[in-house]
Amino acid sequence: MCGKSWWSRLPALALAAALVPAAGLAQTSDKIRIGMTVSSTGSFALASQSGVRGVEVWVDDVNRRGGIEIKGKKYPVELVKLDDRSDKQMVTRVYERLIVDEKVDLVFAPFGSTLTAAAATVTERLGKYMMVWSAASDDLYKQGFKYMVSGTQMPVSAMLSASMALAGNLGVKKAAILYSDEPYPAGLAQSGKDQAAKNGIEVVMYEKYPKGQKDFSTLLQKAKASGAEALFPTPYEGDLISMTRQLKQLDINFPFIFMVYASTPQFQAIGADAHYIFSHTNYHPAINWKVTAGLSREEFAKAYDRLYPKAEFPPDFQTALAYGAAALTEEIIEKAGGTDAAALKQASLDLSDKVTVMAGPYAIDDTGRQLKMPFPVVQVLPGKGMAPVWPQDVAVQKPVYPIPAWDKR
């Protein structure tokens, strides 16, 4: 991954305060305490830290308004954060600490399906409601968790529907799908395979590689030799940055390349190498839902800049997902009239298909799986930045296809 995370540059005392809440902050009747973990290190660090900023914007906004209103009284929110280091074994320990020792009233999930699945075993056992902002694995919602709701993250089974539809519309007939041996990338790869079939695209290479692999040259050469016109690698951000650099070094070209995390500021920080790669986002000046809960995109952008005037990176789709989930949580608490887990789950169902936040329209099924929150496809264009190109009702630019060869850029 490029550069240092913003977390690593926090003053030591501020970091300690964020990760280890001060003694004496036990649960009281005059505030709502919400716990979550943040990854200071590891493969989930960039995404996790981007998400927590979205939650912190919401906490600041709700407290400026006096708090969440329950039965005529307003309760300020206190966010209690602990470090999970991108480690699922640590996640179980710290979520138990949040609930048992820190006595939080409810929790936000950690980043990603792997860590969220670990956290859910604890929250279910201890009877606490968990709001999910990033876990997309369909299997997660088949395990019978009663008090877990995906506020803003669409399921992985639908996530590549727009990008495969665009590829098919542009005339792509063959695709290569590469994925790391992890639940989310594997689920995304399967989604790509299913969506490719729906759009008349033949998957000519479908290959897994071990987590932690750094050299992708053999895989990329094999993908090119397969005759694929489109490349769909589905791992996390760090691997995608490495793949992009190695594609250039090897002078391997594909007419169409889609990478989920190519829309993030961290990915775009690699410069011109990011140009023309397709990605997706729900945070862009051209994407403005008619918000019924929380801040609009423009209001959020102003609040973010006020809270983080020296931020290394601007908000991205993960920031928007986390903020949207937090804004929904406020609506759900008010609807439930408290923080009882069963009441919160019922309120979540009652509000389904009736609320729209900055990230998009909210709707869930009985398992808590998100049904909406669509991701438009974007393309990074020289001199224009990231532009929505599909579907046509949100597109502001025509997609550049085929992608120019490296020596033609």
Side-chain angles (χ1 to χ4, degrees):
M1 297 181 183
C2 57
K4 289 185 176 180
S5 69
W6 61 268
W7 185 289
S8 66
R9 288 204 288 272
L10 284 173
L13 288 177
L15 178 60
L19 297 184
V20 184
L25 295 181
Q27 182 181 17
T28 64
S29 59
D30 62 350
K31 66 179 66 173
I32 297 172
R33 304 190 82 220
I34 301 179
M36 73 181 298
T37 65
V38 188
S39 304
S40 66
T41 58
S43 58
F44 305 140
L46 287 175
S48 175
Q49 293 161 21
S50 180
V52 75
R53 286 191 173 192
V55 173
E56 288 171 340
V57 169
W58 169 74
V59 172
D60 177 76
D61 176 63
V62 75
N63 287 341
R64 282 172 175 267
R65 293 184 277 108
I68 297 176
E69 186 170 339
I70 300 177
K71 299 176 181 177
K73 180 181 177 180
K74 289 193 172 183
Y75 296 80
V77 172
E78 181 181 346
L79 184 64
V80 183
K81 297 177 292 184
L82 297 176
D83 188 7
D84 61 41
R85 301 179 193 171
S86 301
D87 184 331
K88 65 181 180 181
Q89 279 75 36
M90 179 170 281
V91 160
T92 58
R93 297 196 298 271
V94 292
Y95 271 87
E96 184 156 352
R97 177 182 165 190
L98 284 167
I99 296 168
V100 175
D101 298 334
E102 300 299 337
K103 300 189 186 320
V104 298
D105 297 296
L106 63 149
V107 299
F108 293 125
F111 171 78
S113 300
T114 300
L115 300 187
T116 298
T121 62
V122 177
T123 56
E124 291 290 313
R125 173 166 54 85
L126 298 177
K128 288 294 179 183
Y129 178 88
M130 181 165 67
M131 170 59 74
V132 175
W133 61 273
S134 74
S137 170
D138 289 78
D139 288 342
L140 186 62
Y141 300 93
K142 298 175 182 177
Q143 298 180 37
F145 296 134
K146 295 185 296 182
Y147 307 130
M148 181 183 73
V149 167
S150 175
T152 48
Q153 178 64 276
M154 73 184 325
V156 71
S157 58
M159 199 170 291
L160 294 185
S161 57
S163 56
M164 282 294 181
L166 172 59
N169 182 266
L170 291 173
V172 170
K173 298 299 182 185
K174 297 180 179 181
I177 299 175
L178 312 177
Y179 64 101
S180 60
D181 189 10
E182 299 173 86
Y184 169 72
L188 195 59
Q190 183 61 55
S191 167
K193 193 174 183 180
D194 295 341
Q195 296 296 336
K198 293 179 181 180
N199 287 280
I201 299 172
E202 179 187 0
V203 176
V204 293
M205 180 181 175
Y206 186 77
E207 192 153 331
K208 175 175 64 179
Y209 65 87
K211 179 182 177 180
Q213 181 170 321
K214 301 300 181 186
D215 184 355
F216 303 104
S217 56
T218 301
L219 276 175
L220 296 173
Q221 289 167 340
K222 185 176 178 180
K224 184 63 178 177
S226 72
E229 303 152 279
L231 179 68
F232 282 82
T234 67
Y236 293 105
E237 195 169 43
D239 285 4
L240 294 175
I241 290 172
S242 296
M243 285 185 185
T244 302
R245 288 173 170 157
Q246 290 172 32
L247 281 167
K248 182 178 181 180
Q249 291 164 1
L250 296 166
D251 194 27
I252 294 176
N253 300 283
F254 291 91
F256 187 102
I257 300 175
F258 179 87
M259 297 180 174
V260 166
Y261 291 96
S263 65
T264 67
Q266 295 89 341
F267 188 98
Q268 292 182 47
I270 68 177
D273 291 353
H275 290 169
Y276 302 106
I277 293 175
F278 293 94
S279 187
H280 71 198
T281 191
N282 54 15
Y283 188 79
H284 186 276
I287 302 169
N288 292 295
W289 296 98
K290 188 176 181 180
V291 170
T292 63
L295 302 174
S296 67
R297 189 203 58 78
E298 186 174 327
E299 291 168 337
F300 174 83
K302 291 178 180 177
Y304 185 95
D305 289 342
R306 177 176 51 78
L307 282 181
Y308 306 109
K310 297 181 180 179
E312 181 180 4
F313 296 112
D316 60 22
F317 72 85
Q318 293 154 136
T319 325
L321 290 175
Y323 172 77
L328 280 165
T329 300
E330 180 178 354
E331 298 293 309
I332 290 165
I333 291 172
E334 290 183 351
K335 179 75 172 176
T339 58
D340 173 74
L344 290 171
K345 175 60 181 294
Q346 185 58 52
S348 302
L349 292 167
D350 292 343
L351 289 171
S352 178
D353 222 12
K354 298 175 182 177
V355 182
T356 299
V357 293
M358 181 181 73
Y362 161 80
I364 59 171
D365 62 19
D366 290 344
T367 71
R369 188 175 69 108
Q370 181 57 233
L371 302 176
K372 292 193 172 180
M373 297 290 165
F375 275 111
V377 180
V378 295
Q379 189 176 26
V380 183
L381 300 173
K384 297 178 180 178
M386 186 173 64
V389 296
W390 188 266
Q392 293 176 345
D393 57 353
V394 299
V396 298
Q397 295 284 339
K398 290 184 178 180
V400 175
Y401 177 85
I403 292 175
W406 291 107
D407 62 356
K408 302 295 183 184
R409 300 188 188 188

